[in-house]
Amino acid sequence: MSTYLYRLGRTAFGHPWFFIAGWFAALAVVAGGVAINGVSVSSEMKIDGTEAQTVLDRVATELPEASGGQASVVFTAGEGQRLDTPERLDTISSTVNQVYALDQVVAPPPVAAGAPQGASTGGQEPGQPEAGAGAGAGGADEDRGEVPPYQPLVVDGKPVPGVLVSSDGEVALFQFQFTVATQSLTDEDVTAVLEVLQDAESAGTGITALPSDSLKALEIPVGIGEVIGLVVAAIVLVLTLGSLLAAGLPLITALVGVGIGVGGAYGLSTMVTMNSATPVLGLMVGLAVGIDYALFVVNRQRRLILDRGLSAGEAASRAVGTAGSAVFFAGLTVITALTALSVIGISMLTTMALVAATTVALAVLIALSLLPALLGLVGERICSAKARDRRQVKVEAQAHSVADHWVKGVIRFRWPVIGGVIAILGLAAIPAASMELGIPTGATANQDTAARQSYEAVTRGFGEGFNGPLLVTAEPTGSSGAVTPQVTAQLIDQLQQRDDIVLAAPVGASETGDLVVLSVIPASGPSDEATIDLVAALREPDSALAQQNQVTLGVTGYTAIHIDMAEKLASVLPLYIGIIVALSILILMLVFRSVIVPIKATVGFLLSILATFGVTTAVFQWGWLSGLFGFDTGGPLMSFMPIIVTGILYGLAMDYQVFLVSSMRESYVHGSHGARSVVHGFDQASRVVVAAAVIMISVFSGFIFSHDIMIKQIGFALAAGILIDAFFVRMTLVPAVMAIVDDKAWWLPRWLDRLLPELDVEGDKLTALLNQRPATEQAPTQDVKV
């Protein structure tokens, strides 16, 4: 491997424009594809095969006229002020009529007095049929002899279609339906609705119109935080490499990589269903690994120039052959961990993982081809004469460096160090025991957002359950072959008798009567345990409700879909961890030709990931230090965050394992043994590994301040995970354990040694090949070991 990569680096350095033209041509093709095809991403999240998604797909098939996306608007006039003044009623009525007049909005059905449309709220999301159509808004409560908490909004003696008003007259809820699914809406469609709402607020009547989450124009969830992260990364590169010219190369190659990878993802978004977070995840990972991989190669080249007096071309070729081998297998580990997500069978996660894996693969290929080509253009300027003079002084003082003192201290007190690291990470992992998964709702949005204000207004005026309505389907199990109107009425009556349901109303039925759809409003909020229990109870095939009415009940809707999503992802997480651990142990065994090192690396990662989940739970669920990270209310963690973070963090943790331990193995192979190989390898690799970790932390931290809670949580978890894994596990725990196991770390059974191919990551074959060259062909150095 090292010999092949050496030749690739030598060719790229000697013929730079061929490689540069090829990569920039690829970038131009991707840019052209995006310009021609456009971009089509959505905020939709779904998992095919879950019960809620299966039921929703059936509803869309049987009742296509009700399968458009749902949205809502909450009208308020300030605390203690009523909406039923003539001016405000006229404004609301006019706003509703203007929304219904838009091309992408379904016109309201005729509504009789006392039977308004809109028994449910905008808590519903893409693809959920309109709820409550044709149902009496407060009929269920009136049957029980209670005063309904809401009623139809009446203007000039006629109910306004789709609008309910609270009993105190302070909150009005307008729900409507689009003709297409929410993810198919264009920015122009959403903007048209928002402009109508802005006109309502500027009418001078004191009305505030709060749109639901589905009425948000698509925004790219990146901003100034990501730019700051890149600036910090650039500063670290300059400090590490000691040159603006050298520091600029990793940034250039990383940007080219994410330009092709993320641009390609956007270009394919019109043909592949893609969540808006997918390209951002690729950007996040691609930037981090792209900078780090290039850093390792450039740093090795400069070391070979300054330490051994090699020419820039020879040093670049050897750097690609040796550091490039480590980059290749480190990238392979990340790609393995990400692509293993496809085994889970969740299309949304598969797309996200493949996009991120593609950016990693591009980062590896660019580090091995475009980077040496750029080094060829730079030539000997990669190291200034002043840097060459300073290097001699640094070499003499290397034995007294901070890294040297650190690793010798860790080795000297290795048992207390191991115990201390395990204790600290174990303490950090404690909050993970109470980790809750779900989809953050308006209840956890920042208090100054429309989503939070809308959620609280709905809760105040109608009850928290209106923020998370359920869609319940009934299909016959008896010999009649249809759910009759009498059975439907009985089913609604029985549902409304439950203490955990405040309202049940018909939505529609198929022409044959083999599918009836109902809207059910729980008494609890969408994230409450009581709502989860209600969904499970309604799905129970042997329940009295199903048996007495001879029907099979299904439950779907925004709330049910995300309950199922959280349960599905939580159930597959252990399987996924098992898959990536098995595959990565195999890869690390090939790289290090050792049994102990891969096992040690995996155990260290498990400590890291548990501590990462613990810290993330404490911050985002418990609300610790929430103000520091730009939010004010804790809530459940995004349901797919743990599995995504596990895959990415495992791959990146193995990056540091490969770069650090391969340096120790290189020292061992070249004659150092025991603690000496650990110290020498640590001294050689620790500076660049620390710099790489700081760069990754900086890049990921920039995404913490995104307005998108999904990106915010993933960015924080990755930044915290890299901090924990790089500094507590790789830089502290690893040298302590390596010192204990001594040379036995490199033990491999003979039978297994014969089976495994020789990858030559340390460059021994390359060294032998270079030593065989005539002296006149060798670069100016007395020691050709790389």
Side-chain angles (χ1 to χ4, degrees):
M1 174 62 73
S2 60
T3 303
Y4 170 78
L5 293 179
Y6 170 84
R7 291 169 179 164
L8 175 62
R10 191 178 185 90
T11 301
F13 190 95
H15 304 85
W17 286 113
F18 176 79
F19 290 87
I20 293 172
W23 280 108
F24 279 90
L27 184 61
V29 169
V30 168
V34 173
I36 295 172
N37 294 334
V39 175
S40 176
V41 295
S42 75
S43 58
E44 181 189 33
M45 291 179 289
K46 70 175 185 177
I47 297 180
D48 295 329
T50 60
E51 183 170 347
Q53 190 62 49
T54 300
V55 171
L56 186 58
D57 292 342
R58 174 157 168 72
V59 171
T61 300
E62 295 290 331
L63 299 170
E65 69 280 2
S67 61
Q70 198 80 9
S72 70
V73 178
V74 175
F75 296 100
T76 64
E79 188 173 355
Q81 297 190 45
R82 297 179 64 90
L83 293 169
D84 53 1
T85 66
E87 297 82 5
R88 290 171 179 165
L89 289 176
D90 287 343
T91 298
I92 294 174
S93 179
S94 173
T95 300
V96 170
N97 290 334
Q98 290 180 61
V99 171
Y100 278 134
L102 297 174
D103 291 339
Q104 292 288 4
V105 176
V106 176
V111 180
Q117 180 185 15
S120 68
T121 77
Q124 290 172 271
E125 284 295 317
Q128 179 166 326
E130 186 172 9
D141 292 318
E142 290 173 343
D143 291 342
R144 301 184 204 179
E146 302 171 0
V147 177
Y150 46 83
Q151 57 194 7
L153 181 68
V154 178
V155 177
D156 296 332
K158 298 179 180 179
V160 179
V163 183
L164 299 176
V165 64
S166 61
S167 59
D168 60 9
E170 296 181 5
V171 183
L173 175 65
F174 168 41
Q175 183 179 5
F176 58 94
Q177 183 181 359
F178 290 107
T179 58
V180 296
T182 304
Q183 64 268 26
S184 300
L185 292 172
T186 65
D187 282 347
E188 290 76 15
D189 296 330
V190 175
T191 300
V193 177
L194 296 178
E195 288 176 350
V196 173
L197 301 185
Q198 291 172 0
D199 292 342
E201 291 185 334
S202 60
T205 59
I207 282 181
T208 299
L210 303 171
S212 63
D213 275 348
S214 54
L215 287 175
K216 289 194 304 185
L218 183 63
E219 300 176 10
I220 299 177
V222 294
I224 189 63
E226 292 74 15
V227 176
I228 294 174
L230 277 179
V231 170
V232 173
I235 294 172
V236 174
L237 286 170
V238 172
L239 293 176
T240 304
L241 298 175
S243 162
L244 285 173
L245 183 61
L249 296 180
L251 290 174
I252 292 173
T253 55
L255 291 173
V256 171
V258 297
I260 296 174
V262 176
Y266 277 123
L268 294 174
S269 63
T270 56
M271 296 175 280
V272 178
T273 302
M274 191 172 295
N275 184 276
S276 58
T278 299
V280 180
L281 184 64
L283 173 66
M284 190 188 304
V285 176
L287 275 178
V289 300
I291 294 173
D292 276 7
Y293 292 169
L295 168 63
F296 286 120
V297 175
V298 174
N299 181 71
R300 177 62 67 92
Q301 184 211 23
R302 285 172 56 85
R303 273 181 49 199
L304 290 170
I305 293 173
L306 298 174
D307 294 352
R308 305 190 184 278
L310 297 180
S311 66
E314 182 66 18
S317 303
R318 297 191 186 193
V320 173
T322 52
S325 296
V327 164
F328 178 84
F329 288 104
L332 181 62
T333 305
V334 181
I335 294 168
T336 299
L338 288 170
T339 53
L341 277 170
S342 61
V343 178
I344 303 301
I346 299 174
S347 59
M348 179 185 68
L349 288 181
T350 298
T351 303
M352 296 178 77
L354 292 179
V355 169
T358 300
T359 62
V360 174
L362 287 168
V364 172
L365 294 175
I366 286 173
L368 300 178
S369 58
L370 177 60
L371 179 60
L374 293 175
L375 290 172
L377 291 185
V378 173
E380 298 296 338
R381 291 174 296 165
I382 195 68
C383 292
S384 64
K386 186 180 296 185
R388 297 169 195 262
D389 294 338
R390 287 199 309 263
R391 181 60 182 174
Q392 183 60 38
V393 177
K394 290 185 178 180
V395 169
E396 294 173 357
Q398 187 174 24
H400 305 287
S401 67
V402 174
D404 189 76
H405 284 301
W406 173 263
V407 70
K408 287 179 179 178
V410 166
I411 291 175
R412 181 180 179 184
F413 302 102
R414 48 189 173 271
W415 286 110
V417 165
I418 293 172
V421 169
I422 292 175
I424 292 172
L425 298 187
L427 184 64
I430 290 176
S434 61
M435 182 172 63
E436 297 178 3
L437 302 181
I439 297 296
T441 64
T444 59
N446 283 353
Q447 296 178 2
D448 59 351
T449 62
R452 177 66 173 272
Q453 294 165 6
S454 175
Y455 188 99
E456 292 180 344
V458 169
T459 300
R460 185 172 65 250
F462 306 95
E464 192 170 12
F466 272 75
N467 288 292
L470 302 173
L471 202 67
V472 176
T473 62
E475 299 180 71
T477 57
S479 58
S480 63
V483 180
T484 64
Q486 293 76 14
V487 171
T488 301
Q490 179 176 306
L491 185 59
I492 290 174
D493 182 65
Q494 292 175 350
L495 286 169
Q496 292 180 148
Q497 298 306 314
R498 294 179 60 102
D499 293 336
D500 49 7
I501 292 176
V502 298
L503 175 67
V507 172
S510 62
E511 294 181 359
T512 60
D514 59 351
L515 178 68
V516 170
V517 182
L518 309 174
S519 175
V520 171
I521 307 297
S524 50
S527 298
D528 293 345
E529 192 67 30
T531 303
I532 298 175
D533 294 339
L534 172 60
V535 170
L538 292 176
R539 287 172 171 171
E540 180 58 50
D542 297 328
S543 67
L545 194 65
Q547 295 294 322
Q548 291 174 11
N549 294 283
Q550 293 188 318
V551 294
T552 299
L553 297 179
V555 184
T556 187
Y558 181 80
T559 300
I561 285 173
H562 289 106
I563 289 173
D564 288 357
M565 184 181 294
E567 291 178 352
K568 171 71 172 178
L569 291 171
S571 67
V572 300
L573 181 58
L575 171 63
Y576 175 62
I577 292 177
I579 291 172
I580 63 171
V581 164
L583 291 175
S584 295
I585 283 179
L586 177 60
I587 292 175
L588 293 177
M589 192 177 293
L590 288 170
V591 173
F592 295 116
R593 306 192 70 76
S594 164
V595 174
I596 294 175
V597 170
I599 295 174
K600 171 186 61 66
T602 301
V603 172
F605 166 74
L606 293 177
L607 289 173
S608 297
I609 197 65
L610 289 174
T612 299
F613 288 160
V615 172
T616 306
T617 299
V619 171
F620 286 95
Q621 186 173 308
W622 294 359
W624 291 8
L625 302 176
S626 58
L628 181 64
F629 299 110
F631 68 101
D632 52 36
T633 306
L637 302 184
M638 296 294 295
S639 56
F640 59 85
M641 187 277 292
I643 199 168
I644 284 287
V645 168
T646 297
I648 296 174
L649 191 57
Y650 189 91
L652 298 181
M654 293 308 104
D655 278 4
Y656 300 126
Q657 177 74 13
V658 169
F659 294 126
L660 183 63
V661 180
S662 63
S663 182
M664 296 178 184
R665 176 166 174 78
E666 185 176 351
S667 296
Y668 169 78
V669 169
H670 292 160
S672 298
H673 294 280
R676 286 182 56 199
S677 66
V678 176
V679 172
H680 184 265
F682 191 93
D683 286 345
Q684 294 296 313
S686 59
R687 176 181 172 88
V688 71
V689 168
V690 167
V694 172
I695 288 171
M696 278 203 179
I697 293 169
S698 301
V699 171
F700 292 144
S701 295
F703 290 85
I704 295 175
F705 301 96
S706 168
H707 63 271
D708 189 313
I709 188 63
M710 175 168 41
I711 299 301
K712 183 187 291 286
Q713 289 187 2
I714 292 176
F716 175 86
L718 290 176
I722 293 298
L723 176 66
I724 291 168
D725 191 85
F727 292 100
F728 283 90
V729 176
R730 308 303 156 189
M731 304 298 291
T732 306
L733 188 62
V734 164
V737 173
M738 292 292 287
I740 289 174
V741 298
D742 202 59
D743 287 350
K744 292 188 291 293
W746 313 115
W747 173 79
L748 188 68
R750 291 184 179 179
W751 64 268
L752 188 56
D753 184 57
R754 290 192 297 268
L755 290 176
L756 296 179
E758 179 62 59
L759 301 179
D760 190 32
V761 176
E762 296 80 21
D764 287 340
K765 291 183 179 179
L766 176 59
T767 299
L769 177 66
L770 296 176
N771 281 330
Q772 293 173 4
R773 293 193 311 183
T776 55
E777 294 182 15
Q778 295 190 21
T781 178
Q782 296 178 349
D783 186 355
V784 299
K785 286 187 176 180
V786 286

